[in-house]
Amino acid sequence: MKSIKFASAIALAAGVLVMGSAQAADGGTIRIHGQVEDTTCSITGGAGTEGGTDTITVGLDKVAPAALTAAGTSGIGRKQFTLNIGAPGEGSCENGKIADLSFVTSSARIDAATGTLTNAAPFGAQNTNIQLTSATGAPYNLADPTVIVSSPEIAGNQTTITMGAQYYATGAATPGPVDTNVQYQVTYR
């Protein structure tokens, strides 16, 4: 019985010490966010991509630095690609809905001045960004939070979003690899 009382006393004293130090600590913020969706579809890389689920990879063809000599040069090496939303028989991908893709404007690689994606490749090409476009080649300003790319209506539990990617010069390009990324989110209406 004495050992239980002694252990309880030690635990009580330790709790008081912990509480005492917790009361002296600085405060902070706990941020929690989420979203409740009634429709959920898989997202996979389609034509023009190297595949992937959720993380989609698009490989652009090589271009010469001579094609990117002046700031603002774009449309070079454009490649069209599709994102597959849902799949046949994917019951959680509800027919009749529209998938709205938007870009997370706080993505680390977005260049706020041009709305393009900066190069993150080690020893990469200088003055060379990547610009995302619509299916028709109209550029998207990824720094603009109002940019939304909408799919056709979901039918047969699937739809696609077609986009393009191309090189964009911020000055005279130098040779080297180009690698970048952007976060996106998809909501349904």
Side-chain angles (χ1 to χ4, degrees), residues 19-68:
M19 284 176 35
S21 64
Q23 291 173 348
D26 290 335
T29 301
I30 297 173
R31 181 171 178 248
I32 298 144
H33 63 89
Q35 187 164 322
V36 177
E37 290 282 340
D38 63 347
T39 299
T40 308
C41 302
S42 62
I43 301 171
T44 57
T49 74
E50 296 171 10
T53 301
D54 298 327
T55 299
I56 312 301
T57 302
V58 177
L60 296 179
D61 292 334
K62 294 177 184 177
V63 297
L68 299 164

Side-chain angles (χ1 to χ4, degrees), residues 23-176:
Q23 291 173 348
D26 290 335
T29 301
I30 297 173
R31 181 171 178 248
I32 298 144
H33 63 89
Q35 187 164 322
V36 177
E37 290 282 340
D38 63 347
T39 299
T40 308
C41 302
S42 62
I43 301 171
T44 57
T49 74
E50 296 171 10
T53 301
D54 298 327
T55 299
I56 312 301
T57 302
V58 177
L60 296 179
D61 292 334
K62 294 177 184 177
V63 297
L68 299 164
T69 58
T73 302
S74 66
I76 307 300
R78 185 174 184 281
K79 183 173 190 177
Q80 191 161 301
F81 64 94
T82 60
L83 301 178
N84 297 327
I85 312 293
E90 189 175 305
S92 62
C93 194
E94 189 178 331
N95 291 333
K97 297 276 188 169
I98 304 286
D100 288 327
L101 181 141
S102 60
F103 302 99
V104 178
T105 57
S106 62
S107 293
R109 293 280 142 220
I110 294 178
D111 178 353
T114 63
T116 61
L117 298 169
T118 60
N119 189 3
F123 309 106
Q126 298 296 305
N127 300 318
T128 306
N129 287 3
I130 298 296
Q131 185 174 57
L132 294 183
T133 71
S134 69
T136 61
Y140 291 130
N141 179 350
L142 303 181
D144 181 352
T146 65
V147 171
I148 295 175
V149 184
S150 298
S151 75
E153 191 174 281
I154 296 170
N157 305 113
Q158 63 184 344
T159 190
T160 59
I161 291 178
T162 302
M163 297 177 17
Q166 60 194 15
Y167 294 98
Y168 179 93
T170 59
T174 63

Side-chain angles (χ1 to χ4, degrees), residues 1-20:
M1 189 66 137
K2 286 185 180 183
S3 63
I4 293 174
K5 287 182 182 176
F6 181 69
S8 296
I10 289 176
L12 180 62
V16 168
L17 287 175
V18 169
M19 284 176 35

